[in-house]
Amino acid sequence: MKFARAAVIVAALSGGTALAVVAADHSQVLAAPQLSDSDLQAKLQSQGYTGLQDIRRDGNRVHVTASKDGQAVQLTVNSRTGQVVGNNSTDDDEDDDD
C-alpha cells in the first residue's frame, strides 16, 4: 500500500497530468481529469480540425461538430486524452442513385 500512496503523491505533485496510476495490488486506478473545453479544442486543432462547435459532454466522451479538409464531421472524443474515437461525415450521399 506504500506504493499506492507514493503513486498518488507523485500524481498530485505532477499537476495531476498522469493518465492513470495503478496501486500495487491493481485494485485502484486513478483516472486523469477531463480536459477543459479550451484544452480539448487545442488538441483537436492540432489534429487539423477547425470550426469546432456544439461541444456536448457525455460521461467520458465528448461530441463535437467540426471541419477537416473542408468536410463537416461529427466527432466523438475521449474527454481525458483528446483522442478522436469516432468520426462521422455529416455529408450523407445516401440519395445518390447513379
Side-chain angles (χ1 to χ4, degrees), residues 36-66:
S36 67
D37 285 356
S38 60
D39 288 340
L40 184 69
Q41 289 176 347
K43 290 232 181 222
L44 292 173
Q45 288 170 341
S46 74
Q47 297 173 50
Y49 294 99
T50 60
L52 304 171
Q53 57 186 355
D54 195 24
I55 298 172
R56 300 174 319 280
R57 292 185 178 270
D58 181 18
N60 290 331
R61 301 280 188 240
V62 180
H63 304 282
V64 180
T65 302

Side-chain angles (χ1 to χ4, degrees), residues 3 5 21 26 28 31 50 55 58-59 67 74 78 82 92 95-96:
F3 172 77
R5 284 188 211 134
V21 177
H26 299 280
Q28 300 173 344
T50 60
I55 298 172
D58 181 18
S67 296
Q74 293 286 332
N78 181 304
D92 291 333
D95 52 348
D96 286 349

